[in-house]
């Protein structure tokens, strides 16, 4: 569906499962950052009423996911921990075109779509490879949500720019992400 160039090695799930408290804390903060990103996008497209409505729903859903992860952490006797730096997201951000307003907005939507696509793929890897039954179900449900967010952000990009150019730019994003993801997949973080 996403045409990611490099799939996550299933052994990454073993790294994650060996330190669930860390992966859960990192995941919670990823959800908070996704909500913040959606809110930031609202400020960039206030004239697009349907987008504002959908971005508001995404922000609320991402904060609900944050809360769900936090509840799992508490139930397991842990604490949230401090926010984590996400090098993968920072590397992706460098690829955003800083040109015209249209190019920038399209790329911000594609940036969000890419994060959702990789997160969805990572949740699938967790669902298929970890032993923790509660988390298998939890990550399967979130995988579906991330796929929906990916589709929404791609659709927004195609609304904001020429669909053919957006599709071409998405292919460039896939190539870029395929190169940077080679450096990741060896830490107990969602994108690490």
């Amino acid at each position: 569906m996403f045409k990611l160039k490099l799939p996550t090695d299933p052994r990454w799930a073993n790294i994650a499962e060996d330190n669930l408290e860390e992966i859960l804390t990192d995941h919670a903060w990823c959800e908070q950052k996704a909500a913040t990103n959606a809110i930031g996008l609202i400020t960039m497209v206030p004239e697009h009423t349907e987008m504002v409505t959908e971005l508001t729903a995404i922000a609320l859903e991402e904060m609900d996911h944050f809360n769900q992860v936090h509840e799992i952490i508490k139930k397991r006797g842990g604490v949230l921990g401090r926010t984590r730096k996400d090098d993968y997201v920072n590397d992706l951000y460098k690829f955003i075109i800083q040109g015209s307003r249209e190019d920038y907005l399209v790329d911000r939507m594609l940036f969000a779509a890419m994060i959702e696509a990789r997160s969805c793929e990572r949740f699938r890897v967790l669902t298929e490879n970890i032993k923790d039954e509660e988390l298998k179900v939890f990550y399967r449900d979130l995988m579906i949500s991330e796929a929906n967010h990916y589709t929404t952000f791609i659709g927004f990009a195609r609304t904001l720019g020429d669909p053919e150019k957006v599709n071409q730019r998405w292919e460039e994003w896939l190539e870029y992400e395929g190169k940077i993801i080679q450096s990741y997949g060896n830490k107990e973080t969602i994108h690490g």
Side-chain angles (χ1 to χ4, degrees):
M1 174 179 175
F2 307 121
K3 300 192 298 182
L4 296 172
K5 300 296 182 185
L6 183 65
T8 297
D9 185 325
R11 291 176 292 185
W12 167 78
N14 302 106
I15 296 168
E17 194 161 34
D18 284 344
N19 194 346
L20 287 177
E21 187 172 336
E22 181 60 29
I23 194 84
L24 289 168
T25 292
D26 181 71
H27 178 197
W29 288 114
C30 286
E31 298 291 356
Q32 179 271 327
K33 290 170 190 169
T36 300
N37 184 59
I39 293 166
L41 290 171
I42 289 169
T43 69
M44 295 177 202
V45 293
E47 67 280 10
H48 295 277
T49 302
E50 290 181 22
M51 283 186 200
V52 170
T53 300
E54 187 62 32
L55 287 165
T56 301
I58 288 172
L60 292 169
E61 186 174 20
E62 299 289 16
M63 282 311 297
D64 181 56
H65 294 165
F66 172 89
N67 185 55
Q68 289 178 47
V69 177
H70 187 230
E71 289 300 318
I72 290 170
I73 292 169
K74 291 189 317 185
K75 184 172 118 182
R76 292 170 180 235
V79 295
L80 178 60
R82 299 243 176 241
T83 187
R84 307 304 200 253
K85 181 179 171 187
D86 193 326
D87 292 326
Y88 167 81
V89 170
N90 291 334
D91 282 344
L92 282 182
Y93 190 82
K94 294 173 188 173
F95 196 62
I96 295 174
I97 293 174
Q98 301 293 325
S100 71
R101 181 174 188 272
E102 179 182 307
D103 288 343
Y104 179 72
L105 288 175
V106 165
D107 255 27
R108 280 299 302 265
M109 295 301 177
L110 295 178
F111 165 77
M114 183 58 72
I115 295 168
E116 298 289 347
R118 181 56 73 179
S119 298
C120 179
E121 189 259 357
R122 288 284 170 100
F123 293 164
R124 181 188 55 77
V125 170
L126 287 173
T127 298
E128 294 173 354
N129 294 285
I130 62 174
K131 297 174 186 79
D132 188 303
E133 291 300 322
E134 177 188 24
L135 292 180
K136 274 186 181 195
V137 171
F138 178 66
Y139 281 113
R140 186 193 71 237
D141 291 345
L142 289 187
M143 178 180 69
I144 295 164
S145 175
E146 301 296 298
N148 289 335
H149 295 169
Y150 154 81
T151 302
T152 299
F153 286 121
I154 289 283
F156 287 167
R158 289 180 181 136
T159 298
L160 292 167
D162 174 79
E164 189 173 310
K165 288 181 182 176
V166 169
N167 291 342
Q168 180 181 353
R169 182 63 179 154
W170 180 243
E171 291 299 323
E172 294 170 6
W173 271 96
L174 288 166
E175 289 296 326
Y176 177 76
E177 197 268 354
K179 291 175 184 159
I180 68 167
I181 199 65
Q182 294 176 31
S183 302
Y184 295 94
N186 55 9
K187 295 190 327 189
E188 61 277 349
T189 60
I190 295 298
H191 300 122

